[in-house]
Amino acid sequence: MRQVVLSLLVWVGLTAPGYAQAPSGAPEPPAKLSRREQRVLEKEQHELEKRVAELRAKRATMPGLSEREKEQSEALFVEGVKYVMLEDYPKGLENLLKAYSMRPDNAAINYKIAEANLLSGNLRDATNYAEAATRLDPQNAYYYLLLAQAQASQKQYDAATKTYATLIKQVPNSGSYLFNLADLYLAQNHLPEALTTLDQAEKEFGQVDEISFKKQQIYLKQNKLDLALAEGEKLIKANPTEARYVLAQAEMYASNNRLPDAVRVTQQALRLDPDNPQAHLILSEVYRQQKLDTEADQQLRQAFASPALDIDARVRILVGYIKQLPSPKEPTNQLVRDLAAATVKSYPKDAKAYAISGDVQTLTDHKKEARNTYLQALRYDNSKFQVWQQVVLIDAELNQTDSLLVHSGRALELFPNQSSLWFYNGVAYVLKKQPQKGVKSLEHGRKLVVNNAPLLGQFDAQLGDAYHELHEYEKSDAAYESALVSDPDNVQVLNNYSYFLSLRGEKLDKAKQMSGKVVKQFPDNDTYLDTYAWVLYKQKDYAGAKTALEKALQTSKDGSIIEHYGDVLFQLGEKDKAVVEWQRAHKIGGTSDLLERKLKDHKLYE
């Protein structure tokens, strides 16, 4: 029985929940129909009108519907509405169109057919049937709203504008739709018409914030700053205890370079709300424009001291500063660190607060603190790869191998497809004297590298070192060769490859060429000079090795280099001097396992 009552309400043109609902959706930027599209649309409308007229004429020559036919048409309508609500639009339309064939002049049927077509994406039929509904019942607001939505969805903004205008004119108490009409005018950049509509709304509803805000937008687009400011004053007068309206006015002054007025109005807002962070941010920006940096920094600190300042606003401001870090001015670096610390204090359980603070500490060369701060961020949200990556990079930079191994392992549990994590995990194993595990991680990570030749080169360089530790020299050499294909000037590879070849006494000409290339580029680097000297030593060029080592020892106190120098002296027949150098190397440490025997027997062992 309830279903019949609802259907009868709709049948006579009234609305009920779920049957005729106001359409929603904001208009898109305007775009006019082509002439061809307009002709097609006009033809379809003409055909629909012709069809409706034919059906009406046919009905006029026929007797009225019998009670049974009325019940049948009502049942078809209700069944159609049901399927539309279930989103089965083809079945809904099938039933509704059968009802329509019996009662083409019923506004509710036309409306529901229009709605079903709109929801199923058939916008042109939706427009045609909605227009019919408005003609049949010109005082039903929902019919106009559906028609306007169908028109706007087809970018027929002029038509949608006329539909809203007709709605406001025809339907009693429909003044609220003046705002929709104003929005349509704004979407088409018809500013005078939008202003006229808003004035009409203001006459009907009085001082409404939305009206003043929209008028401000229009006046600013028209470069009528004084009129926009006047609307702002109306808002302040209507809301004398609301600081946000005062601040909006201050921002308008500031953005239009009326800085003294901006300061005056912002201070007015602070009298209403002394701790308002937005007010302090406005003052900070104004003072910055006036070159009053100390005052600007003070206002910024006050804003960040307020718990009311949103975390996202803080992050935006800090990101702006991060682009300038590290600053040559230490006070600036300190300011940004303080702002980041204030953010953490206000949001102690927000991962974003710790992450941005870690970024600031990293860029201002507080690496250890940054690593700990990033770890705090991961406590509250471990889903951000970039944060894990920062932790691992800092571990590597600080040479904290144990931490690097732990953190890269934890990160890989979450991000197993990130090649860089496998790289650092492999490096950590190699440094921990576990080259077999290092090779496993490095080889796996290398397979994940896509279109990144420099990263491939880094993997190959580390694999060269790791395979050397495993005494798999062919694989080590192949990895180094591959690394040099990616980067022929890779200093680390050239130095290590040549040194390991010299230790093995293999490909010494190639080793000399590679090591010489490095020394030419870095003629004062003691490590590279030592490698070059040892290649010469293996080639029995002891005089050349002596020259290179003496240059290295001008800056180095490394025990292994001093031991090598002693070996060269021994080969040159200066045995007493060699023993002296071996003794000096022994005191310093970091020498080979053979040094004890050399000192004991005063002989050279290799």
Side-chain angles (χ1 to χ4, degrees), residues 276-347:
N276 189 296
Q278 190 63 29
H280 292 296
L281 289 178
I282 293 172
L283 280 178
S284 175
E285 183 57 32
V286 171
Y287 288 144
R288 194 83 63 196
Q289 291 182 51
Q290 294 176 323
K291 310 298 183 185
L292 302 172
D293 291 342
T294 301
E295 291 83 350
D297 291 351
Q298 180 184 357
Q299 291 296 325
L300 197 53
R301 290 179 189 276
Q302 285 185 261
F304 271 70
S306 170
L309 183 59
D310 179 74
I311 180 67
D312 292 327
R314 294 169 184 266
V315 169
R316 282 194 298 272
I317 293 167
L318 287 169
V319 166
Y321 274 102
I322 281 174
K323 294 175 182 177
Q324 306 170 32
L325 295 179
S327 170
K329 300 178 181 178
E330 177 52 31
T332 299
N333 295 331
Q334 187 60 51
L335 170 68
V336 186
R337 285 196 295 269
D338 291 345
L339 297 180
T343 299
V344 169
K345 184 177 180 181
S346 294
Y347 294 88

Side-chain angles (χ1 to χ4, degrees), residues 28-223:
E28 300 175 19
K32 292 184 177 180
L33 291 175
S34 67
R35 190 171 295 177
R36 183 184 63 80
E37 290 174 321
Q38 188 66 40
R39 285 199 299 270
V40 170
L41 181 62
E42 289 173 353
K43 182 180 178 182
E44 288 181 350
Q45 290 173 341
H46 177 72
E47 288 176 353
L48 178 63
E49 290 171 358
K50 181 179 178 182
R51 183 181 174 191
V52 171
E54 289 173 351
L55 285 168
R56 284 177 181 164
K58 184 178 178 181
R59 294 300 306 170
T61 61
M62 296 174 63
L65 292 178
S66 66
E67 288 299 319
R68 186 171 178 278
E69 288 173 323
K70 289 179 181 178
E71 290 176 2
Q72 184 182 3
S73 63
E74 184 180 320
L76 287 167
F77 179 80
V78 172
E79 191 73 3
V81 170
K82 181 186 76 173
Y83 280 117
V84 171
M85 294 176 68
L86 293 172
E87 299 183 9
D88 188 344
Y89 304 121
K91 284 189 177 181
L93 282 167
E94 180 184 347
N95 285 279
L96 289 169
L97 288 170
K98 287 179 181 178
Y100 174 86
S101 67
M102 302 175 73
R103 295 292 299 272
D105 55 353
N106 183 274
I109 294 176
N110 279 272
Y111 171 79
K112 292 309 294 185
I113 294 174
E115 184 183 47
N117 277 300
L118 179 67
L119 292 171
S120 61
N122 187 351
L123 300 178
R124 289 184 175 175
D125 280 354
T127 301
N128 294 334
Y129 282 101
E131 283 182 337
T134 60
R135 288 196 300 272
L136 293 165
D137 184 358
Q139 291 194 325
N140 190 311
Y142 289 155
Y143 297 172
Y144 291 102
L145 294 174
L146 182 68
L147 174 58
Q149 184 178 351
Q151 292 166 330
S153 297
Q154 296 173 88
K155 300 181 174 24
Q156 300 171 13
Y157 291 104
D158 287 339
T161 301
K162 292 176 182 176
T163 297
Y164 270 109
T166 305
L167 160 62
I168 293 163
K169 182 179 178 181
Q170 293 287 348
V171 180
N173 303 315
S174 58
S176 60
Y177 297 114
L178 287 165
F179 297 98
N180 303 66
L181 180 57
D183 286 339
L184 271 172
Y185 282 131
L186 284 171
Q188 298 172 88
N189 206 34
H190 294 171
L191 304 184
E193 293 87 344
L195 271 175
T196 300
T197 304
L198 290 169
D199 285 338
Q200 187 179 346
E202 193 166 25
K203 288 177 183 177
E204 183 163 344
F205 299 104
Q207 173 64 42
V208 177
D209 295 351
E210 184 182 352
I211 295 173
S212 290
F213 280 128
K214 289 185 184 299
K215 281 188 172 183
Q216 279 185 323
Q217 292 175 29
I218 295 169
Y219 289 139
L220 290 172
K221 285 184 177 181
Q222 294 177 326
N223 293 318

Side-chain angles (χ1 to χ4, degrees), residues 395 398-406 427-432:
D395 282 338
L398 296 176
N399 294 317
Q400 296 190 356
T401 307
D402 290 339
S403 295
L404 179 61
L405 193 59
V406 170
V427 168
Y429 275 122
V430 173
L431 293 173
K432 289 290 289 181

Side-chain angles (χ1 to χ4, degrees), residues 558-589:
D558 185 276
S560 66
I561 296 178
I562 297 170
E563 182 183 0
H564 286 164
Y565 184 52
D567 295 349
V568 170
L569 292 173
F570 192 93
Q571 293 284 14
L572 289 169
E574 301 180 50
K575 295 181 181 180
D576 292 339
K577 288 184 179 180
V579 172
V580 171
E581 294 301 324
W582 286 340
Q583 288 171 339
R584 190 157 69 98
H586 186 264
K587 289 180 182 178
I588 293 173

